[in-house]
């Protein structure tokens, strides 16, 4: 398969992959990448790539940073070679990067299970990392505190340098010495502090000469008074160097002890970095993972050759292996036949190497044992043209090796020799391959091969499109119809004289298969027109779908807004009515206090008139959409329902025959099954959120809002055992509370007895203006022992 890797540009893909890998070792893995043939291994490699792809798309920070190539350093430590500062620092930085990757995949194991498997068993090096932390600072410098001895030595060096600088400043600023100096500065020669002195004063200024300027006018002299200090400095610096070497030696021994586990961790992390490189390449190519075919089906949807610039590549759909095993492609030169074959071959190699392919989601590829290719390069995608003998040599070797689980790509089969002999040979080769059973994609210009494909089972014609109007190829592949070579059209476009082209056409008309060329040309033109119409219809259909979606979305917005406005208006009106009722009851109470007992009739008349005025306040009804009624047999406790009589959502608390106890806004009401309807999902969710958000609040004093009064109102009054006057007084107060809370209906339990109490209460209810109607309760609600009162 190695020759096919070269022909199909797989090596170039490896180079592109290496560019997207973050570490040196990952780049090496990319350059060593080979297609796999084991289905399980391919599936695992693809799934790993998909996990890394999701990480690139979803995570803000990726687990890739800071790893260095520590293999050589580990190898040197095994040989007990003292590692350099840079080598030790690389190991320290890399251990930190391993730790960050371990923490990332430990916390996100469920999101990236396959990649986490590489990291979860990775050796840890916390002890070695802590040892490095005591030696190096965050910038990689060897800290003074690495050892007590190093700290003392560096302190001595610093103090000695300060003494030397002080002495030099005294020498430089001494007026008697000014004439000796070329310039008043301090420099170093041979790691010793010196002063530039003029040549003519070499004997006048005591000291040791260390260097001379290029012109000879300046001598660099170490003053005698600094010799001992410079000696002390050199001694301290040598001791420091020795101590640093000892520290590095100890660290190298520590690395040596853990070199094997460091190499194991390096292998695990490098693999993950390599997988992230594959995912980064997929993002660059806008690629997707292909589905692995359980059989031999090839379905590449809008596949693109990854090495052709995105603004120039034409997507190609290739179907093969299900209804036919061999796809014969015809069409004009430079029309895209070779690119189509290379696209199939290269994408198959990429898929089996665990790479995503530049094709639409839903593309399917089988697993090939081998991919054989004999592709000449007339489009300069590869090298140069091949001779007939070279082609035949390659085809013969493929004939001997190809089997049912292989893919064979042959470009210009039978070309390079006599057309009649070449076409006959090509037909024979195709027939041999057809019996052997590999999947094939073959390009040709021979009409005999087109005719053979039309009449042979398992072979399908296809062609690359050529636009007769522009005389240029469109590079689109069409399966099901053979194509013409369009040699005359291309020759004319390239500048061949018209008379030469016309004469060639006359000669062609006398050929035996000239009619077939015309038929193919007509078929292709008809196919082009049909496809153009199909594209227009698809565009119009898509536009209609978008318009319909937009209209439906806007309609929903309008309806929701209308419902919100109407609901809010009704709520405001209802609150206003309740407020008016509250205020009216306060006025009535004041009227009661103002009138004397002797003016009872006048007082009652004023109260009745005030109540009638309040009753005249009407709240407009809102027509909501029809709701689906609740089936009694499906009703259950805890169910969320819509109470039509209260125009509110509530929760079923108890089922008592035909009467249902429902909790609405913290208040329990008894309603009939007919008053219940199914609540929408949105209403159910809203009620749940409202119940979860409710927190206990301190009770406010009386005289609060209507909503607060509603919380403390009840829907039932029991007056059994009371006199008629006592009962009526309690009933009046009970009805007033229900009116202010906006509750209806309510129940008055008076018992059966002689019926006198019931009659007295009914007579009193008739005098109350806010009573819409009242009736004896149903059998399941107390029968003649209770009265249901409906308020306006």
């Amino acid at each position: 398969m190695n020759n096919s890797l070269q022909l199909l540009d797989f090596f170039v893909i490896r180079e592109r992959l290496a560019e997207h890998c973050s570490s040196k070792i990952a780049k090496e893995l990319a350059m060593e990448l080979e297609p796999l043939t084991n289905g399980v291994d391919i599936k695992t490699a693809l799934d790993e790539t998909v996990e890394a792809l999701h990480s690139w798309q979803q995570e803000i920070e990726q687990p890739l940073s800071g790893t260095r190539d520590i293999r050589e350093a580990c190898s040197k430590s095994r040989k007990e070679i003292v590692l350099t500062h840079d080598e030790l620092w690389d190991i320290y930085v890399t251990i930190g990067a391993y730790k960050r990757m371990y923490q990332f995949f430990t916390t996100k194991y469920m999101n990236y299970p396959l990649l986490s498997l590489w990291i979860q068993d990775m050796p840890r090096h916390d002890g070695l990392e802590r040892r490095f932390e005591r030696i190096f600072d965050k910038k990689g410098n060897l800290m003074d505190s690495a050892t007590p001895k190093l700290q003392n030595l560096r302190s001595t060096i610093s103090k000695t340098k300060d003494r030397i600088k002080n002495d030099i400043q005294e020498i430089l600023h001494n007026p008697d010495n000014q004439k000796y100096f070329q310039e008043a500065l301090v420099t170093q020669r041979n790691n010793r502090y010196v002063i530039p002195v003029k040549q003519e004063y070499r004997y006048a200024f005591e000291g040791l000469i260390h260097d001379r300027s290029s012109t000879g006018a300046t001598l660099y002299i170490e003053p005698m008074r600094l010799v001992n200090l410079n000696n002390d400095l050199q001694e301290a610096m040598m001791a420091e160097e020795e101590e640093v070497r000892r520290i590095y030696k100890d660290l190298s021994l520590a690395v040596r002890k853990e070199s094997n586990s460091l190499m194991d961790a390096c292998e695990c992390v490098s693999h993950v970095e390599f997988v992230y490189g594959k995912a980064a390449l997929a993002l660059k190519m806008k690629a997707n993972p292909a589905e692995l075919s359980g059989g031999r089906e090839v379905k590449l949807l809008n596949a693109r050759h990854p090495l052709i610039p995105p603004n120039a590549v034409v997507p190609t759909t290739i179907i093969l292996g299900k209804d036919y095993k061999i796809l014969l492609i015809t069409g004009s030169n430079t029309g895209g036949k070779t690119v189509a074959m290379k696209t199939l071959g290269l994408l198959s190699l990429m898929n089996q190497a665990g790479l995503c392919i530049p094709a639409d989601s839903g593309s399917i590829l089988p697993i090939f044992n081998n991919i054989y290719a004999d592709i000449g390069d007339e489009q300069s995608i590869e090298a140069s043209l091949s001779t007939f003998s070279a082609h035949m040599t390659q085809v013969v070797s493929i004939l001997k090796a190809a089997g049912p689980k292989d893919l064979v790509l042959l470009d210009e089969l039978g070309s390079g020799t006599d057309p009649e002999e070449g076409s006959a040979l090509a037909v024979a080769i195709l027939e041999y391959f057809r019996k052997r059973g590999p999947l094939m994609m073959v390009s040709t210009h021979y009409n005999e091969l087109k005719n053979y494909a039309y009449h042979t089972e398992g072979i399908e014609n296809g062609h690359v499109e050529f636009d007769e109007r522009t005389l240029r190829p469109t590079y689109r592949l069409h399966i099901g119809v053979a194509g013409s070579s369009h040699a005359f059209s291309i020759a004319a476009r390239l500048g061949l004289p018209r008379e030469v082209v016309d004469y060639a056409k006359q000669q062609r008309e006398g050929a035996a298969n000239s009619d077939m060329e015309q038929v193919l040309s007509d078929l292709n033109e008809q196919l082009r027109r049909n496809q153009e119409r199909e594209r227009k219809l698809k565009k119009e259909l898509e536009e209609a779908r978008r318009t319909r979606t937009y209209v439906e979305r806007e309609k929903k917005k309008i309806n929701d807004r209308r419902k919100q406005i109407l609901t809010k208006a009704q709520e405001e009106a209802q609150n206003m009515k309740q407020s008016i009722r509250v205020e009216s009851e306060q006025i009535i109470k004041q009227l009661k206090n103002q009138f004397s007992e002797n003016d009872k009739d006048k007082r009652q008349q004023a109260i009745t008139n005030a109540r009638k005025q309040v009753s005249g306040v009407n709240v407009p009804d809102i027509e909501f959409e029809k709701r689906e009624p609740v089936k009694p047999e499906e009703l259950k406790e805890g169910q969320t329902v819509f109470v039509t009589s209260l125009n509110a959502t509530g929760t079923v608390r108890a089922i008592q025959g035909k009467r249902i106890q429902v909790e609405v806004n913290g208040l329990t009401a008894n309603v009939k099954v007919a008053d219940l309807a199914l609540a929408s999902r949105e209403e159910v969710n809203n009620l749940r959120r409202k119940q979860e958000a409710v927190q206990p609040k301190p009770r406010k004093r009386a005289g609060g809002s209507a909503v607060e009064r509603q919380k403390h109102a009840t829907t039932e009054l029991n007056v059994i055992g009371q006199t008629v006057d006592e009962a009526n007084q309690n009933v009046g107060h009970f009805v007033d509370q229900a009116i202010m809370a906006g509750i209806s209906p309510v129940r008055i339990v008076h018992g059966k007895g002689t019926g006198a109490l019931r009659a007295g209460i009914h007579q009193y209810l008739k005098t109350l203006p806010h009573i819409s109607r009242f009736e004896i309760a149903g059998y399941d609600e107390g029968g003649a022992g209770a009265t249901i009162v409906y308020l306006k």
Side-chain angles (χ1 to χ4, degrees):
M1 189 184 285
N2 194 60
N3 183 53
S4 298
L5 299 182
Q6 181 71 34
L7 286 174
L8 297 173
D9 298 316
F10 183 76
F11 294 153
V12 181
I13 294 296
R14 295 199 306 199
E15 294 173 359
R16 299 280 178 90
L17 173 59
E19 294 172 1
H20 288 82
C21 292
S22 61
S23 69
K24 179 180 178 181
I25 304 177
K27 293 179 185 294
E28 292 176 2
L29 292 175
M31 295 303 295
E32 296 169 358
L33 182 64
E34 296 281 349
L36 306 170
T37 56
N38 181 277
V40 175
D41 294 341
I42 295 172
K43 181 69 165 56
T44 300
L46 287 172
D47 289 344
E48 287 180 347
T49 304
V50 171
E51 286 187 3
L53 188 60
H54 290 165
S55 177
W56 279 116
Q57 295 169 334
Q58 298 172 7
E59 303 295 339
I60 297 177
E61 294 184 3
Q62 304 302 323
L64 307 171
S65 63
T67 58
R68 313 280 177 87
D69 186 0
I70 62 173
R71 292 173 296 180
E72 184 177 353
C74 289
S75 177
K76 288 171 65 176
S77 70
R78 292 172 184 171
K79 300 175 183 178
E80 299 186 3
I81 298 175
V82 177
L83 301 180
T84 65
H85 168 273
D86 291 343
E87 290 171 334
L88 290 168
W89 175 247
D90 284 348
I91 293 175
Y92 178 33
V93 170
T94 301
I95 291 175
Y98 291 172
K99 184 176 182 179
R100 290 191 296 275
M101 185 175 287
Y102 178 84
Q103 293 171 344
F104 177 88
F105 285 106
T106 299
T107 58
K108 298 180 181 293
Y109 170 79
M110 297 301 295
N111 297 336
Y112 314 107
L114 290 177
L115 294 177
S116 297
L117 288 175
W118 283 90
I119 303 301
Q120 67 180 11
D121 295 330
M122 181 179 71
R124 301 293 301 276
H125 305 91
D126 296 339
L128 183 59
E129 182 182 29
R130 287 192 295 269
R131 187 161 183 176
F132 272 106
E133 289 174 349
R134 294 193 295 268
I135 303 299
F136 294 108
D137 62 17
K138 297 300 181 181
K139 296 182 179 180
N141 300 314
L142 182 64
M143 294 188 294
D144 296 349
S145 59
T147 65
K149 184 176 181 180
L150 180 65
Q151 192 166 20
N152 291 333
L153 288 171
R154 286 189 172 179
S155 175
T156 300
I157 291 171
S158 177
K159 292 177 181 178
T160 304
K161 285 182 178 179
D162 289 341
R163 290 179 60 188
I164 292 174
K165 291 177 182 177
N166 291 333
D167 285 357
I168 289 178
Q169 292 301 321
E170 290 181 10
I171 295 172
L172 291 175
H173 291 89
N174 189 334
D176 297 335
N177 297 332
Q178 296 298 315
K179 61 183 179 180
Y180 301 143
F181 306 138
Q182 188 71 29
E183 49 186 330
L185 59 82
V186 181
T187 185
Q188 282 185 313
R189 289 295 186 272
N190 302 320
N191 291 325
R192 300 176 76 89
Y193 286 93
V194 295
I195 299 174
V197 178
K198 297 177 181 178
Q199 167 67 23
E200 57 267 27
Y201 295 110
R202 59 182 297 180
Y203 297 112
F205 188 82
E206 293 187 16
L208 304 177
I209 299 174
H210 285 275
D211 198 3
R212 182 191 301 270
S213 66
S214 59
T215 61
T218 303
L219 297 177
Y220 293 96
I221 299 177
E222 177 185 2
M224 290 303 297
R225 62 184 290 185
L226 296 183
V227 171
N228 289 333
L229 286 175
N230 271 325
N231 289 339
D232 293 342
L233 178 62
Q234 291 300 311
E235 184 178 357
M237 292 178 64
M238 288 188 293
E240 179 202 25
E241 184 177 345
E242 184 63 28
E243 178 63 10
V244 169
R245 179 176 174 81
R246 189 191 66 78
I247 293 172
Y248 288 169
K249 181 178 180 181
D250 290 345
L251 276 179
S252 300
L253 291 175
V255 170
R256 177 175 178 270
K257 292 178 181 179
E258 300 194 36
S259 60
N260 290 334
S261 61
L262 282 171
M263 291 300 294
D264 291 341
C266 179
E267 180 181 354
C268 295
V269 170
S270 298
H271 176 82
V272 173
E273 291 174 328
F274 165 63
V275 174
Y276 269 82
K278 294 197 293 183
L281 179 64
L283 287 175
K284 177 69 174 180
M285 292 182 175
K286 297 181 180 179
N288 295 291
E291 299 177 17
L292 294 181
S293 171
R296 304 178 60 198
E297 180 183 6
V298 172
K299 183 168 72 172
L300 292 177
L301 305 176
N302 291 323
R304 306 172 298 280
H305 195 287
L307 302 182
I308 299 178
N311 60 343
V313 67
V314 177
T316 301
T317 295
I318 301 174
I319 308 296
L320 181 63
K322 196 170 184 181
D323 298 324
Y324 49 89
K325 299 177 183 177
I326 301 176
L327 179 59
L328 185 69
I329 301 182
T330 54
S332 62
N333 288 322
T334 71
K337 300 189 300 297
T338 303
V339 172
M341 282 194 297
K342 281 198 165 187
T343 300
L344 171 58
L346 181 55
L347 267 55
S348 297
L349 292 172
M350 291 174 62
N351 177 63
Q352 291 184 214
L355 297 172
C356 295
I357 60 173
D360 289 354
S361 297
S363 296
I364 301 173
L365 282 171
I367 299 174
F368 298 110
N369 287 345
N370 292 284
I371 297 178
Y372 300 102
D374 176 43
I375 299 177
D377 195 310
E378 299 168 354
Q379 283 73 49
S380 297
I381 295 179
E382 254 305 326
S384 60
L385 299 175
S386 301
T387 63
F388 175 75
S389 59
H391 272 296
M392 277 296 99
T393 301
Q394 187 67 17
V395 169
V396 169
S397 64
I398 297 174
L399 274 172
K400 295 178 179 179
K405 294 185 178 181
D406 298 330
L407 174 65
V408 178
L409 306 171
L410 300 179
D411 191 23
E412 302 294 350
L413 181 61
S415 63
T417 186
D418 177 75
E420 292 187 2
E421 292 182 355
S423 60
L425 191 58
V427 169
I429 292 173
L430 278 185
E431 180 62 21
Y432 183 85
F433 275 120
R434 188 177 73 89
K435 294 178 179 179
R436 292 288 296 270
L439 295 187
M440 293 188 69
M441 198 169 178
V442 182
S443 69
T444 185
H445 289 288
Y446 292 141
N447 286 330
E448 289 78 8
L449 281 178
K450 304 173 190 176
N451 187 49
Y452 165 73
Y454 271 123
H455 295 90
T456 305
E457 184 180 358
I459 304 181
E460 183 62 87
N461 273 306
H463 76 280
V464 287
E465 187 180 71
F466 185 86
D467 194 336
E468 291 282 2
R469 296 171 300 175
T470 62
L471 300 180
R472 293 180 181 275
T474 65
Y475 304 105
R476 296 191 183 96
L477 175 63
H478 299 288
I479 297 175
V481 180
S484 174
S485 297
H486 299 283
F488 297 148
S489 300
I490 294 174
R493 179 170 61 86
L494 294 176
L496 192 67
R498 169 56 61 183
E499 57 269 24
V500 177
V501 175
D502 291 341
Y503 185 77
K505 289 182 178 179
Q506 293 175 8
Q507 296 297 314
R508 186 72 181 88
E509 289 174 358
N513 53 6
S514 61
D515 292 340
M516 182 177 179
E517 285 291 323
Q518 186 59 43
V519 170
L520 289 176
S521 179
D522 294 342
L523 283 174
N524 291 336
E525 178 60 24
Q526 183 179 356
L527 177 63
R528 187 193 63 77
R529 290 197 298 267
N530 289 339
Q531 289 176 338
E532 185 66 27
R533 283 195 295 268
E534 182 181 359
R535 280 193 291 270
K536 290 181 179 179
L537 289 173
K538 284 183 177 179
K539 185 177 180 181
E540 293 175 359
L541 179 61
E542 184 63 28
E543 184 65 27
R545 286 174 177 169
R546 283 197 298 267
T547 303
R548 184 179 66 182
T549 302
Y550 174 78
V551 171
E552 290 178 350
R553 186 167 57 249
E554 292 300 314
K555 181 181 177 182
K556 185 177 184 303
K557 287 182 180 178
I558 293 173
N559 289 336
D560 291 344
R561 182 60 178 161
R562 174 178 174 274
K563 184 176 179 180
Q564 291 175 1
I565 293 173
L566 292 176
T567 302
K568 184 177 181 181
Q570 189 191 39
E571 290 176 354
E572 291 177 352
Q574 189 68 40
N575 292 335
M576 184 182 297
K577 182 177 179 180
Q578 291 178 6
S579 299
I580 293 173
R581 284 178 176 175
V582 171
E583 292 175 4
S584 68
E585 290 300 324
Q586 293 175 349
I587 293 172
I588 291 170
K589 184 177 180 180
Q590 293 174 1
L591 288 173
K592 288 180 180 179
N593 295 331
Q594 291 175 1
F595 286 103
S596 64
E597 187 66 26
N598 296 330
D599 297 325
K600 183 176 181 180
D601 293 339
K602 189 176 180 180
R603 179 185 64 187
Q604 187 60 45
Q605 182 63 38
I607 293 172
T608 301
N609 291 337
R611 281 175 171 164
K612 284 182 178 180
Q613 291 176 2
V614 174
S615 299
V617 179
N618 294 321
V619 178
D621 294 331
I622 299 177
E623 294 183 2
F624 294 98
E625 65 275 11
K626 292 183 178 180
R627 293 178 176 270
E628 185 178 351
V630 175
K631 296 180 181 179
E633 61 273 13
E634 297 179 357
L635 202 60
K636 56 185 178 181
E637 294 183 7
Q639 180 178 349
T640 301
V641 293
F642 184 83
V643 185
T644 56
S645 58
L646 299 178
N647 193 30
T649 307
T651 305
V652 176
R653 293 306 180 197
I655 303 174
Q656 304 169 350
K658 295 182 180 179
R659 303 296 297 185
I660 310 300
Q661 192 178 82
V662 183
E663 181 181 338
V664 180
N665 294 329
L667 180 68
T668 302
N670 292 320
V671 297
K672 297 179 181 179
V673 177
D675 291 333
L676 301 180
L678 293 176
S680 66
R681 181 179 299 179
E682 182 180 359
E683 290 170 337
V684 173
N685 293 334
N686 289 339
L687 181 60
R688 183 181 296 113
R689 286 193 294 268
K690 185 176 180 182
Q691 291 172 344
E692 293 174 352
V694 171
Q695 297 293 335
K697 296 181 180 178
R699 178 175 297 182
K700 294 184 179 180
R701 59 185 178 84
S705 65
V707 175
E708 192 66 27
R709 294 171 184 271
Q710 186 183 41
K711 292 181 180 179
H712 302 294
T714 59
T715 61
E716 182 176 289
L717 174 66
N718 191 327
V719 295
I720 295 177
Q722 299 178 9
T723 65
V724 173
D725 290 338
E726 291 173 342
N728 285 342
Q729 184 178 359
N730 291 330
V731 167
H733 181 68
F734 173 64
V735 171
D736 289 343
Q737 283 188 330
I739 290 171
M740 286 186 288
I743 301 171
S744 178
V746 295
R747 187 167 74 138
I748 302 173
V749 180
H750 43 63
K752 298 179 181 179
T754 62
L757 182 58
R758 179 181 67 238
I761 293 174
H762 284 188
Q763 186 64 33
Y764 176 68
L765 291 174
K766 292 178 182 179
T767 66
L768 300 179
H770 292 301
I771 305 300
S772 174
R773 60 187 175 90
F774 59 87
E775 61 187 22
I776 297 297
Y779 177 77
D780 56 343
E781 293 183 319
T787 297
I788 305 299
V789 181
Y790 295 89
L791 305 178
K792 293 181 180 179

